[in-house]
């Protein structure tokens, strides 16, 4: 297995490993370390069944299943389908275009650790791949923060709320969504997380707030909280922290939710087919030092 860093602010390509097979413990440890160090990993030219995608993904932690049982593989609610394809009047999956910058699952008490996406159909126009995924490096964003923010927010806690994303989607032209129902609100209550997290694998300090879901900083007036968040959002989305992944058919793309933000570029039309299968891994194990120690142990012995 060969790890080739992009040399940019994020990203590495991992060659000479077949994710359809059981990855051996040494290579698995290298992948976990590379995911934390490079944030975004591309495994080109993979061929995976949905079950193989699930088997690889679940080694990193528990998988978030489709809450509705829709937009997923039959009998495999942990393997969700992102697609704009409509066949016989039926959508093949959930559309995934047009989302603003966010971090998956920051609105849950157990946040997201990593996404594993498998690109099956990728739209192209004039030889260029469409529907790129953009990322931003939150270790660099933290490192560059003015010292006064590092000090004043060192123990701050932010509130994350799925409703923010829901309302942003509702506000788009043509949206027919109603407000979140009381039932939805009860299932998805706001969550609280430190504004700065220590990465469980690297120990690096990370800016953990995102425009998609973060709504407030506790203990501040509404004005102060909004001003602080506006500053953090503008700071973290500077182009110098960004990396773009342009998809190829057969790519497996993983990224570290703890250390990055992402967004999907909606630059393709309904007739330009896109089909991606996805597993979302929760950070239910990676914050346990014993899990990380156990996963990385083969590197010390190798
Ligand atoms: Fe996402």
């Amino acid at each position: 297995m060969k790890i080739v860093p992009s040399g940019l602010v994020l990203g590495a390509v991992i060659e000479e490993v077949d994710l359809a097979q059981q990855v051996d413990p040494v290579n698995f440890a290298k992948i976990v370390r590379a995911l934390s160090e490079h944030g975004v990993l591309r495994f080109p030219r993979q061929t995976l069944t949905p079950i193989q995608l699930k088997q690889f993904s679940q080694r990193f932690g528990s998988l978030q299943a489709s809450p509705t049982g829709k937009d997923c593989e039959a009998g495999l609610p942990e393997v969700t389908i992102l697609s704009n394809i409509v066949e016989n009047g039926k959508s093949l999956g959930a559309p995934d275009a047009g989302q603003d910058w966010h971090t998956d699952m920051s609105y849950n008490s157990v946040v997201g650790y990593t996404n594993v996406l498998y690109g099956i159909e990728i739209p192209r126009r004039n030889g260029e791949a469409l529907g790129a995924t953009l990322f931003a490096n939150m270790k660099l964003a933290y490192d560059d923060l003015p010292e006064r923010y590092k000090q004043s927010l060192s123990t701050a806690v932010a509130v994350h709320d799925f409703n923010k994303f829901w309302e942003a989607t509702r506000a788009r032209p043509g949206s027919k969504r109603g407000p979140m129902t009381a039932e939805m609100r009860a299932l998805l209550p706001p969550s609280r997380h430190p504004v700065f997290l220590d990465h469980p694998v690297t120990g690096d300090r990370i800016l953990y707030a995102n425009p998609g879901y973060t709504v407030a900083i506790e203990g501040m007036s509404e004005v102060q909280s909004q001003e602080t968040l506006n500053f953090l959002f503008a700071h973290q989305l500077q182009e110098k922290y960004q990396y773009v992944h342009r998809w190829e058919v057969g790519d497996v793309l993983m990224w570290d939710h703890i250390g990055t933000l992402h967004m999907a570029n909606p630059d393709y039309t309904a007739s330009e087919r896109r089909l991606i299968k996805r597993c979302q891994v929760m950070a239910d194990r990676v914050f346990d030092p014993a899990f990380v120690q156990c996963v990385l142990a083969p590197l010390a012995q190798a």
Side-chain angles (χ1 to χ4, degrees), residues 16 32 78 88 136 140 144 147 183 193 214 227 281 285:
E16 294 169 32
V32 167
E78 307 90 348
N88 305 320
L140 294 183
D144 285 350
E147 207 52 45
E183 258 177 326
H193 304 291
T214 312
E227 277 176 8
V281 184
R285 299 181 73 189

Side-chain angles (χ1 to χ4, degrees), residues 99 102 104 115 255 262 278:
Q99 278 197 21
H102 64 284
D104 286 14
N115 264 12
W255 65 88
H262 66 280
R278 172 184 74 177

Side-chain angles (χ1 to χ4, degrees), residues 117-156:
L117 269 65
Y118 174 42
I120 298 165
E121 290 190 60
I122 304 299
R124 298 185 78 87
R125 201 186 299 153
N126 304 326
E128 296 279 317
L130 302 170
T133 310
L134 283 66
F135 297 92
N137 184 325
M138 289 306 107
K139 174 202 176 321
L140 294 183
Y142 173 80
D143 288 348
D144 285 350
L145 274 177
E147 207 52 45
R148 67 177 194 281
Y149 279 95
K150 289 185 182 172
Q151 294 297 329
S152 65
L153 296 174
S154 63
T155 58

Side-chain angles (χ1 to χ4, degrees), residues 36-296:
S36 308
E37 286 174 355
H38 305 294
V40 182
L41 303 179
R42 170 178 177 240
F43 301 80
R45 297 177 301 281
Q46 299 289 328
T47 308
L48 291 181
T49 65
I51 287 182
Q52 287 165 339
L53 177 62
K54 178 184 160 180
Q55 282 170 340
F56 172 66
S57 304
Q58 70 191 8
R59 290 178 71 180
F60 297 85
S62 301
L63 302 182
Q64 162 135 321
S66 158
T68 56
K70 282 192 213 149
D71 302 321
C72 59
E73 284 291 319
L76 286 176
E78 307 90 348
V79 180
T80 47
I81 301 174
L82 305 171
S83 185
N84 61 347
I85 301 171
V86 179
E87 276 173 357
N88 305 320
K90 212 174 148 257
S91 296
L92 227 59
D96 185 41
Q99 278 197 21
D100 205 348
W101 288 97
H102 64 284
T103 306
D104 286 14
M105 298 183 266
S106 76
Y107 53 82
N108 284 339
S109 56
V110 178
V111 300
Y113 169 24
T114 178
N115 264 12
V116 189
L117 269 65
Y118 174 42
I120 298 165
E121 290 190 60
I122 304 299
R124 298 185 78 87
R125 201 186 299 153
N126 304 326
E128 296 279 317
L130 302 170
T133 310
L134 283 66
F135 297 92
N137 184 325
M138 289 306 107
K139 174 202 176 321
L140 294 183
Y142 173 80
D143 288 348
D144 285 350
L145 274 177
E147 207 52 45
R148 67 177 194 281
Y149 279 95
K150 289 185 182 172
Q151 294 297 329
S152 65
L153 296 174
S154 63
T155 58
V157 170
V159 180
H160 300 248
D161 192 345
F162 182 78
N163 187 53
K164 185 180 184 186
F165 162 73
W166 188 263
E167 285 298 318
T169 311
R170 249 161 62 73
R172 291 208 180 113
S175 170
K176 294 188 182 74
R177 277 187 189 187
M180 280 177 79
T181 62
E183 258 177 326
M184 288 171 77
R185 301 282 301 164
L187 279 173
L188 291 165
S191 63
R192 310 165 62 248
H193 304 291
V195 175
F196 302 145
L197 283 182
D198 290 333
H199 195 285
V201 178
T202 60
D204 291 332
R205 192 145 283 195
I206 304 290
L207 170 55
Y208 193 78
N210 68 85
Y213 299 118
T214 312
V215 291
I217 297 177
E218 286 186 350
M220 288 186 180
S221 71
E222 207 174 314
V223 171
Q224 194 191 5
S225 162
Q226 207 47 59
E227 277 176 8
T228 306
L229 286 178
N230 289 345
F231 169 80
L232 293 176
F233 296 156
H235 171 77
Q236 70 186 169
L237 294 180
Q238 293 175 79
E239 223 171 294
K240 63 183 174 181
Y241 305 132
Q242 294 181 21
Y243 171 80
V244 180
H245 172 72
R246 293 190 174 80
W247 284 87
E248 298 275 345
V249 170
D251 277 351
V252 167
L253 190 75
M254 296 189 70
W255 65 88
D256 175 2
H257 286 309
I258 300 163
T260 67
L261 303 189
H262 66 280
M263 71 168 282
N265 185 353
D267 61 349
Y268 53 96
T269 61
S271 62
E272 292 170 305
R273 292 166 64 102
R274 189 176 197 254
L275 175 61
I276 287 180
K277 297 195 178 172
R278 172 184 74 177
C279 286
Q280 291 178 291
V281 184
M282 296 186 260
D284 62 337
R285 299 181 73 189
V286 74
F287 279 101
D288 173 4
F291 170 78
V292 175
Q293 208 174 17
C294 175
V295 166
L296 297 183

